[in-house]
Amino acid sequence: LTSKGGSLTVPNTFVNGATADAPAMNANFTAVASAISTAGGSLTLPNTFSNGSTADATAVNANFAAVEAALDAMPPAGMVLVPAGTFTMGSSLVGGDAVPEHDVTLSSFYLSKYETTYQQWHDVKTWAGENGYTFANAGREGQDGTIGAAPTGASSEPVTTVSWRDAIVWCNARSEQTGLTPAYTYISATIKDATDATACDGAVLNLSAHGYRLPTEAEWEYASRYQDGATWTPGDYLSGATNDYNDAAASQAVAWYNVNSGSVTHDVGGKTANQLGVFDMSGNVWEWCGDWHGSYGAGPDTDPTGPGSGSYRVYRGGSWASPAYTGRVGLRSNGTPDDSDSSIGFRAVLPPGQQ
């Protein structure tokens, strides 16, 4: 439960060799159900135990099986489950390289609720530096922190000034640190050096590896536009907004951009989340996606990962320094893989089933 962002204190313990009385066992399972609910999960217990009786082992085991199933169904801490589905990617309302509109079908995935904070970046980077990883950029706390410095009171602001190469190396390091198989390899070896342009730009994304990675461009747009699986946020809205980008009130409710940011980054999660419960998909910082930038095809596509090669990597969502229109969910932008800027950060994805 701790790995899912929850905590639990059971009210009763039982002595070896003794039988467990029913009220105490009920109280323990009630505490478990409450803790799971508080952490965002759901648990229905198949059995309760009658006062005056002892807890039958078969019924207890069935309850524990239900607890395990409930825990398995919960997203990892700080992430949300994005359901599988089909949507129309691209936007004629945005135009340019956001057309043609085309159908894309995606498998489910976990997406971080928040942009990667400087605290998260620094913690993983510190571990990585002691375990054979190298970064091209040390990262910055928000838009004006000292490069590579220890976290301060602004550590919940997004990390910035990291390149696409830094981001995938960080994802690999976080995977290894947490016992998952890194997702990015080059010639079958885990990519650990963001200064190795050949390896990073030739990265192979192993979707079966189950480690942390950047969202594909299709996953990013899907999550930013998702409402209920049948209704989708129009391409000229900011993520989670109730009207298009021209509506200042609707846009400022969900995003930090040049009009309301005060020319600074802000703690992640400070604006209203979108319908999936994901924050800052528009505004605060641009977010690296996994794909090379290229023209859209006519589709349909299933779990696309973008062109096989290119010169520029995609980033999405607008930032604290850019106008509202850059936060439109259909708008695409891009930079070279070594670009690092005080307006660019990232968030991570995990495949389903990872705990």
Side-chain angles (χ1 to χ4, degrees):
L1 183 60
T2 301
S3 71
K4 303 303 182 75
S7 63
L8 169 65
T9 301
V10 291
N12 302 292
T13 57
F14 304 102
V15 179
N16 285 344
T19 56
D21 96 285
M25 186 63 73
N26 286 335
N28 278 7
F29 278 118
T30 297
V32 171
S34 177
I36 287 175
S37 176
T38 299
S42 176
L43 170 63
T44 300
L45 292 167
N47 299 293
T48 55
F49 306 100
S50 300
N51 287 343
S53 66
T54 56
D56 173 73
T58 300
V60 170
N61 287 338
N63 276 10
F64 277 119
V67 171
E68 290 181 2
L71 290 172
D72 286 344
M74 291 173 64
M79 305 190 96
V80 298
L81 179 64
V82 182
T86 299
F87 82 120
T88 300
M89 186 174 181
S91 175
S92 60
L93 296 171
V94 174
D97 62 355
V99 293
E101 296 182 356
H102 56 291
D103 287 342
V104 171
T105 298
L106 292 174
S107 304
S108 62
F109 59 97
Y110 292 126
L111 178 68
S112 176
K113 292 181 183 180
Y114 309 106
E115 294 165 330
T116 302
T117 67
Y118 186 72
Q119 184 72 61
Q120 291 174 312
W121 163 268
H122 188 270
D123 289 348
V124 173
K125 179 180 172 294
T126 298
W127 177 92
E130 298 168 351
N131 289 273
Y133 285 83
T134 302
F135 294 87
N137 299 281
R140 185 194 299 270
E141 191 176 67
Q143 95 295 341
D144 63 352
T146 301
I147 295 290
T152 72
S155 63
S156 291
E157 293 185 23
V159 64
T160 69
T161 321
V162 291
S163 69
W164 184 92
R165 295 169 186 161
D166 290 314
I168 67 163
V169 168
W170 186 92
C171 286
N172 275 356
R174 187 178 182 190
S175 297
E176 185 178 341
Q177 182 188 29
T178 55
L180 300 175
T181 304
Y184 297 101
T185 61
Y186 179 69
I187 316 180
S188 300
T190 298
I191 298 172
K192 293 188 171 187
D193 186 355
T195 69
D196 186 344
T198 299
C200 289
D201 294 350
V204 174
L205 173 59
N206 181 1
L207 291 175
S208 65
H210 301 305
Y212 290 93
R213 59 176 176 82
L214 297 176
T216 66
E217 184 177 20
E219 288 171 338
W220 191 97
E221 184 170 327
Y222 182 92
S224 72
R225 299 181 69 168
Y226 189 97
Q227 293 191 17
D228 58 15
T231 305
W232 303 87
T233 297
D236 61 346
Y237 284 43
L238 277 63
S239 184
T242 57
N243 204 351
D244 70 30
Y245 75 99
N246 290 300
D247 185 325
S251 296
Q252 291 180 31
V254 298
W256 298 110
Y257 55 98
N258 67 344
V259 169
N260 68 337
S261 70
S263 299
V264 296
T265 48
H266 292 263
D267 285 358
V268 300
K271 290 291 186 178
T272 302
N274 70 9
Q275 286 81 353
L276 277 171
V278 181
F279 297 84
D280 300 311
M281 291 204 79
S282 294
N284 218 11
V285 292
W286 294 96
E287 299 176 13
W288 286 114
C289 296
D291 305 30
W292 290 109
H293 181 266
S295 298
Y296 285 158
D301 288 320
T302 299
D303 292 326
T305 57
S309 61
S311 299
Y312 302 92
R313 293 287 184 176
V314 174
Y315 53 75
R316 291 289 210 113
S319 81
W320 60 273
S322 57
Y325 72 82
T326 63
R328 293 176 293 174
V329 293
L331 184 78
R332 310 174 71 201
S333 194
N334 60 85
T336 59
D338 62 346
D339 275 355
S340 61
D341 185 281
S342 62
S343 66
I344 304 175
F346 66 97
R347 75 176 74 221
V349 160
L350 274 177
Q354 300 315 298
Q355 311 308 326

